[in-house]
Amino acid sequence: MDIRALGYLRLETTDLDAWRRYALDVLGMAQAPGTTDDTLLLRVDDRAYRIAVQAGESDRLLAAGWEVANAAALATAAAELEAAGVAVKAADDAELAERRVQGLVRVTDPCGNPLEIYWGQAQDHTPLATPYGNRFVTGDLGLGHVVLPVPDIEAALDFYENLLGFQLRDSMKLPPQAVPTAAEQRDFHWMHFMSPNSRHHSLGLYPGALPPGIVHFMVELETLDDVGRGLDRTKAAGIPIASSLGRHTNDRMVSFYAQAPGGFQVEYGWDGLIVDPATWVAKEITADSFWGHQWNG
């Protein structure tokens, strides 16, 4: 299977106004054409949108969208999923129009996380005018990364590595207290970091349950100053800082984490590691960060 990148995220929220303020005034994203009273579309680059936030009755991940190159690649992906016993549902015309894509199938991973595999997302050729002049690192690397809750970590790793074709980059042991919702208690639990491209990781697998169906997503900025100014805006807006500024050991990202509306977090970072998949060797990391990233609670 030839998945190229994390293309978009679709979220449901019980407080669309809070998301509008957070995404535009704090994260510095741009509102995209097609935004309505009940759906906020967010631009960070030349795609029609990268994040869609839809008003609803719960706070949850509606789908992580994974991009393939073309119609043939989507057909191959669907056939391989069906051959592995995974239920595949093709999008109808209305869903394709809503997503601004030319082809799409919906599946769930072994832990019930909703995924969309698609090709042909529309571009927006108008200049991107972010509120603070900040720029996001996307392109062939995709939107950033997302961390999903997977209580059955072994089944999830097998699904993403051996069926979807993601490359395992690093793994880390978490103590039991870091995974209070694990399916079973052990001396430690593995967390895995994976990617289909040269971004160190586009996907993290957290070995526990979490009601919103998402632990956090990361967006990467072009400069450290962009991150610092984002941290100032976050504090000024009174948004809780989940983790202080720090540098991760695995992807070398300098970042902080803030609470997003809905019970999960957004990582706002700079200087993520780009790897050569042909020469990468998977490793165990034994610390989350070189410095910083002091977690609150």
Side-chain angles (χ1 to χ4, degrees):
M1 198 174 302
D2 188 20
I3 291 175
R4 300 295 179 86
L6 175 64
Y8 60 74
L9 294 172
R10 297 179 56 246
L11 306 168
E12 184 177 74
T13 181
T14 57
D15 193 341
L16 189 59
D17 286 340
W19 258 105
R20 196 183 316 275
R21 292 190 298 270
Y22 183 59
L24 303 180
D25 299 340
V26 178
L27 300 181
M29 298 176 177
Q31 182 171 294
T35 291
T36 65
D37 289 342
D38 60 5
T39 301
L40 172 65
L41 300 180
L42 298 167
R43 277 187 71 192
V44 299
D45 58 7
D46 62 355
R47 297 297 180 92
Y49 75 92
R50 287 288 193 176
I51 298 174
V53 187
Q54 176 181 315
E57 297 181 354
S58 61
D59 294 289
R60 62 188 176 116
L61 175 70
L62 292 175
W66 297 98
E67 187 172 43
V68 296
N70 49 41
L74 182 61
T76 298
E80 292 179 2
L81 286 160
E82 289 179 328
V86 178
V88 176
K89 184 175 182 180
D92 59 29
D93 289 343
E95 290 168 327
L96 295 178
E98 181 185 41
R99 309 302 199 271
R100 302 292 306 277
V101 302
Q102 296 187 53
L104 181 147
V105 297
R106 299 199 306 272
V107 301
T108 58
D109 74 11
C111 298
N113 293 305
L115 311 178
E116 297 180 349
I117 302 174
Y118 74 93
W119 76 277
Q121 188 182 27
Q123 289 186 297
D124 186 333
H125 299 290
T126 61
L128 177 65
T130 57
Y132 309 105
N134 50 298
R135 289 291 182 268
F136 296 85
V137 178
T138 57
D140 292 341
L141 301 175
L143 168 62
H145 74 236
V146 63
V147 177
L148 300 178
V150 289
D152 190 340
I153 189 72
E154 290 85 3
L157 179 62
D158 179 64
F159 176 83
Y160 286 101
E161 185 175 26
N162 297 320
L163 185 54
L164 267 59
F166 288 23
Q167 185 180 52
L168 178 64
R169 297 286 160 79
D170 291 311
S171 301
M172 179 172 63
K173 292 177 181 176
L174 299 180
Q177 59 267 31
V179 195
T181 58
E184 61 178 279
Q185 285 304 309
R186 306 175 180 177
D187 293 338
F188 63 86
H189 302 275
W190 284 109
M191 182 171 181
H192 302 294
F193 302 89
M194 320 178 75
S195 186
N197 58 44
S198 58
R199 189 187 289 278
H200 176 273
H201 62 277
S202 303
L203 174 67
L205 300 178
Y206 170 77
L210 199 66
I214 177 174
V215 180
H216 76 259
F217 70 82
M218 183 280 297
V219 289
E220 184 176 0
L221 286 297
E222 286 191 353
T223 73
L224 179 59
D225 287 341
D226 286 337
V227 173
R229 285 188 283 263
L231 180 57
D232 286 347
R233 294 192 300 270
T234 301
K235 291 178 176 178
I239 295 169
I241 303 297
S243 177
S244 65
L245 194 70
R247 185 184 284 274
H248 281 305
T249 57
N250 58 357
D251 65 355
R252 309 299 197 268
M253 185 79 69
V254 176
S255 64
F256 69 94
Y257 294 71
Q259 294 293 346
F264 61 94
Q265 299 160 0
V266 172
E267 181 182 5
Y268 207 67
W270 164 77
D271 198 30
L273 180 66
I274 303 300
V275 311
D276 179 357
T279 60
W280 184 262
V281 176
K283 299 176 290 297
E284 177 190 349
I285 58 172
T286 57
D288 179 51
S289 302
F290 290 113
W291 54 268
H293 285 143
Q294 300 299 311
W295 291 91
N296 298 316

